[in-house]
Amino acid sequence: MEKILVVGAGQMGAGIAQVSAQAGFSVGLFDAFPGAAERAMEGMKKSLAKLAEKGQIQEKPEAVIARVRVFTKMDEVASLDPDLMIEAITENVEIKLKLYADLDRVLPAKTILASNTSSIPITQIGAATKRPDKVVGMHFMNPVPIMKLVEVIPGLATDPGVLATVLKTAERMGKTTIVAKDRPAFVVNRILMPLINEAFFALGEGLASAEDIDTGVRLGLNHPMGPLTLADFVGLDTCLAILEVLHKQLGEDKYRPAPVLRQYVQAGWYGKKAGRGVYVWEAGGQKK
Ligand code: CAA
């Protein structure tokens, strides 16, 4: 394993590209959206500068950044000749399946295709390609450079050798891995999203203010962040999409998305990335 292509330069893709480069891999970062990959590179520089300041990386940030090459055209990504592709695009099934059919066409036959999806079945993604044995889930947590976990998910057709390779690669990135079955939302989001959803039901009922709900969970349960703040970090649109998958695929009312969460998403209040979610966020990422 030497070369990793990351597809999608949002906050997750940028973080995955960064930890891959920190681990010494040659990295390609592809996003067709104009300016997205360049913005991600800026974010990476800031994150690496913080880590360097604290002595948490041994190399200079520029040396890590030098291992990342930006791509803006799908037809050019094959030139990287990647051993592994990690996709972190939007959680939309149609867009994702079309992307996988395209990647399957342009990437070398050896390339393992890993998805950072938090809720779309790996088996379904694999079926959109002619290499379902080389398709696997590799679910990182946000913020990727800080969070220690990667959930690895084999689909129905995933080769056990591919699973072993991906586990080893995540460990080389300094992550601890867990293996989850290909069931809706896997382990972490299966447990996290009902917590976040309940916080939105509580908010809707007026049980307490947003700040008090967050403080209650933060100090009462020793969580690093309250669930409403965390939802703003993850993205309210992403939380809603995951809850809808859980609700539809497991068919249980306990996963029904809270009306307030749905309404915030309808308003475009997607969280920190939109400057407004449950809270209002300044451009620098601080709560107002
Ligand atoms: N790169 C480098 N350093 C970073 C960073 C990044 N991207 N993000 C944060 N940091 C650093 C900060 O600089 C800070 O360093 P110092 O302590 O030296 O100042 C340190 O991390 C802690 O950050 P803050 O002081 O800003 O704030 P904090 O103490 O609240 O920690 C946090 C931030 C690590 C994000 C913590 O709040 C936390 O663990 N929150 C919960 C995160 C979580 O649950 N993530 C999972 C989300 S679910 C998911 O991702 C799955 C999904 O599919 C939806």
Side-chain angles (χ1 to χ4, degrees):
M1 183 69 63
E2 286 171 20
K3 297 181 201 156
I4 297 181
L5 172 69
V6 178
V7 174
Q11 62 180 356
M12 296 304 287
I16 296 166
Q18 180 182 324
V19 296
S20 302
Q22 280 175 232
F25 295 106
S26 289
V27 180
L29 178 60
F30 165 63
D31 198 309
F33 195 77
E38 286 74 12
R39 263 198 306 280
M41 295 294 275
E42 288 311 308
M44 266 186 245
K45 283 181 195 161
K46 279 191 199 141
S47 170
L48 287 165
K50 266 190 218 168
L51 296 173
E53 208 179 280
K54 289 190 275 180
Q56 288 175 352
I57 51 170
Q58 308 317 320
E59 279 185 300
K60 290 215 163 88
E62 309 84 74
V64 177
I65 287 288
R67 283 196 284 277
V68 185
R69 198 173 134 196
V70 163
F71 292 91
T72 52
K73 292 196 178 75
M74 170 71 87
D75 290 345
E76 289 171 1
V77 296
S79 67
L80 182 74
D81 193 32
D83 304 293
L84 170 67
M85 184 287 306
I86 307 174
E87 163 272 318
I89 68 157
T90 180
E91 288 291 86
N92 174 300
V93 183
E94 286 79 37
I95 297 174
K96 216 166 277 248
L97 298 186
K98 157 95 176 55
L99 174 78
Y100 273 86
D102 291 344
L103 288 169
D104 190 34
R105 190 172 38 78
V106 300
L107 289 176
K110 67 169 184 184
T111 311
I112 293 172
L113 307 181
S115 179
N116 180 57
T117 182
S118 31
S119 59
I120 297 170
I122 303 305
T123 304
Q124 189 179 10
I125 294 175
T129 73
K130 293 195 177 71
R131 61 180 98 182
D133 55 321
K134 291 202 177 69
V135 175
V136 66
M138 204 176 177
H139 183 217
F140 291 78
M141 306 296 133
N142 183 32
V144 180
I146 300 289
M147 302 296 286
K148 295 269 180 284
L149 186 79
V150 175
E151 257 181 313
V152 180
I153 307 103
L156 197 58
T158 307
D159 185 308
V162 167
L163 174 65
T165 302
V166 164
L167 287 169
K168 228 188 277 166
T169 306
E171 280 152 24
R172 198 175 137 190
M173 291 174 187
K175 304 299 183 192
T176 298
T177 53
I178 59 170
V179 178
K181 280 191 180 163
D182 190 16
R183 300 281 187 274
F186 319 127
V187 171
V188 174
N189 281 322
R190 168 84 174 257
I191 292 164
L192 172 65
M193 289 304 157
L195 172 76
I196 287 180
N197 202 31
E198 198 58 34
F200 277 97
F201 273 114
L203 185 68
E205 279 170 25
L207 179 66
S209 66
E211 288 80 2
D212 280 2
I213 291 170
D214 273 350
T215 303
V217 173
R218 201 163 49 80
L219 300 185
L221 300 174
N222 238 357
H223 287 205
M225 273 179 182
L228 298 171
T229 302
L230 183 56
D232 270 2
F233 269 75
V234 170
L236 269 53
D237 51 337
T238 303
C239 293
L240 179 62
I242 299 171
L243 280 161
E244 278 178 334
V245 167
L246 278 167
H247 190 213
K248 197 162 155 205
Q249 294 193 10
L250 296 176
E252 291 193 47
D253 279 351
K254 68 177 177 180
Y255 301 115
R256 178 175 71 93
V260 174
L261 171 61
R262 193 179 292 285
Q263 196 180 29
Y264 281 21
V265 172
Q266 283 163 349
W269 295 2
Y270 296 152
K272 199 174 167 203
K273 63 187 171 188
R276 174 83 217 235
V278 176
Y279 301 99
V280 178
W281 296 88
E282 282 169 2
Q286 295 305 313
K287 257 185 212 170
K288 268 191 188 164

